[in-house]
Short mmCIF file of all heavy atoms in Angstrom, two decimals:
data_model
loop_
_atom_site.label_atom_id
_atom_site.label_comp_id
_atom_site.label_asym_id
_atom_site.label_seq_id
_atom_site.Cartn_x
_atom_site.Cartn_y
_atom_site.Cartn_z
N ARG E 139 -13.07 244.06 -96.64
CA ARG E 139 -12.74 244.13 -95.21
C ARG E 139 -13.12 245.55 -94.70
O ARG E 139 -12.55 246.52 -95.19
CB ARG E 139 -11.27 243.81 -94.86
CG ARG E 139 -10.83 242.44 -95.35
CD ARG E 139 -11.70 241.28 -94.89
NE ARG E 139 -12.04 241.29 -93.50
CZ ARG E 139 -11.32 240.67 -92.53
NH1 ARG E 139 -10.21 240.09 -92.90
NH2 ARG E 139 -11.69 240.71 -91.31
N GLU E 161 -5.84 241.33 -102.46
CA GLU E 161 -4.98 240.30 -101.90
C GLU E 161 -4.23 239.76 -103.09
O GLU E 161 -4.86 239.04 -103.89
CB GLU E 161 -5.78 239.24 -101.16
CG GLU E 161 -4.90 238.21 -100.44
CD GLU E 161 -5.76 237.18 -99.77
OE1 GLU E 161 -6.43 236.40 -100.47
OE2 GLU E 161 -5.71 237.12 -98.56
N ALA E 482 -4.48 246.26 -93.38
CA ALA E 482 -4.39 244.87 -93.89
C ALA E 482 -3.40 244.04 -93.09
O ALA E 482 -3.65 242.91 -92.74
CB ALA E 482 -3.92 244.87 -95.39
N LEU E 485 -4.89 243.21 -89.61
CA LEU E 485 -5.90 242.14 -89.70
C LEU E 485 -5.20 240.83 -89.86
O LEU E 485 -5.60 239.81 -89.26
CB LEU E 485 -6.81 242.40 -90.94
CG LEU E 485 -7.85 243.55 -90.73
CD1 LEU E 485 -8.52 243.81 -92.10
CD2 LEU E 485 -8.84 243.23 -89.66
N GLU E 486 -4.13 240.76 -90.66
CA GLU E 486 -3.39 239.57 -90.88
C GLU E 486 -2.74 239.06 -89.53
O GLU E 486 -2.75 237.89 -89.20
CB GLU E 486 -2.32 239.75 -91.91
CG GLU E 486 -1.55 238.47 -92.25
CD GLU E 486 -0.43 238.69 -93.24
OE1 GLU E 486 0.39 239.61 -93.05
OE2 GLU E 486 -0.45 237.99 -94.28
N GLU E 488 -3.71 239.83 -86.41
CA GLU E 488 -4.70 239.41 -85.52
C GLU E 488 -5.21 238.04 -85.87
O GLU E 488 -5.46 237.22 -85.03
CB GLU E 488 -5.83 240.40 -85.49
CG GLU E 488 -5.49 241.75 -84.85
CD GLU E 488 -6.65 242.73 -84.99
OE1 GLU E 488 -7.72 242.38 -85.58
OE2 GLU E 488 -6.55 243.81 -84.32
N ALA E 489 -5.33 237.74 -87.17
CA ALA E 489 -5.80 236.51 -87.62
C ALA E 489 -4.80 235.34 -87.29
O ALA E 489 -5.24 234.27 -86.84
CB ALA E 489 -6.12 236.50 -89.12
N ARG E 490 -3.54 235.69 -87.50
CA ARG E 490 -2.52 234.66 -87.14
C ARG E 490 -2.55 234.34 -85.61
O ARG E 490 -2.36 233.26 -85.21
CB ARG E 490 -1.11 235.10 -87.64
CG ARG E 490 -0.91 235.02 -89.07
CD ARG E 490 0.55 234.98 -89.45
NE ARG E 490 1.30 236.09 -88.86
CZ ARG E 490 1.54 237.24 -89.51
NH1 ARG E 490 1.04 237.35 -90.76
NH2 ARG E 490 2.20 238.22 -89.00
N ALA E 494 -7.24 232.25 -87.04
CA ALA E 494 -8.28 232.41 -88.11
C ALA E 494 -7.69 233.20 -89.25
O ALA E 494 -6.73 233.95 -89.06
CB ALA E 494 -9.52 233.05 -87.55
N PRO E 495 -8.28 233.13 -90.44
CA PRO E 495 -7.72 233.97 -91.56
C PRO E 495 -7.99 235.41 -91.32
O PRO E 495 -8.98 235.75 -90.67
CB PRO E 495 -8.54 233.47 -92.77
CG PRO E 495 -9.77 232.85 -92.17
CD PRO E 495 -9.40 232.28 -90.84
N GLY E 496 -7.09 236.27 -91.82
CA GLY E 496 -7.16 237.67 -91.59
C GLY E 496 -7.61 238.41 -92.85
O GLY E 496 -8.63 238.12 -93.49
N ALA E 497 -6.80 239.39 -93.26
CA ALA E 497 -7.10 240.16 -94.46
C ALA E 497 -7.21 239.25 -95.64
O ALA E 497 -7.93 239.56 -96.61
CB ALA E 497 -5.98 241.24 -94.69
N ARG E 498 -6.49 238.12 -95.67
CA ARG E 498 -6.55 237.24 -96.77
C ARG E 498 -7.58 236.14 -96.59
O ARG E 498 -7.55 235.12 -97.33
CB ARG E 498 -5.22 236.65 -97.09
CG ARG E 498 -4.66 235.74 -95.99
CD ARG E 498 -3.48 234.91 -96.51
NE ARG E 498 -2.53 235.79 -97.14
CZ ARG E 498 -1.40 236.17 -96.67
NH1 ARG E 498 -0.97 235.69 -95.49
NH2 ARG E 498 -0.56 236.95 -97.39
N GLY E 499 -8.41 236.21 -95.61
CA GLY E 499 -9.33 235.06 -95.38
C GLY E 499 -10.64 235.50 -94.70
O GLY E 499 -11.06 234.89 -93.76
N ALA E 500 -11.31 236.51 -95.24
CA ALA E 500 -12.59 236.89 -94.67
C ALA E 500 -13.67 235.87 -94.77
O ALA E 500 -14.68 235.92 -94.14
CB ALA E 500 -13.05 238.21 -95.37
N THR E 503 -14.66 234.40 -91.43
CA THR E 503 -15.31 235.27 -90.50
C THR E 503 -16.63 235.87 -90.96
O THR E 503 -17.42 236.25 -90.20
CB THR E 503 -14.36 236.42 -90.07
OG1 THR E 503 -14.03 237.13 -91.30
CG2 THR E 503 -13.12 235.92 -89.49
#
Side-chain angles (χ1 to χ4, degrees):
R139 301 310 311 270
E161 183 181 67
L485 289 171
E486 183 184 55
E488 289 178 354
R490 285 202 304 268
R498 65 166 49 105
T503 59

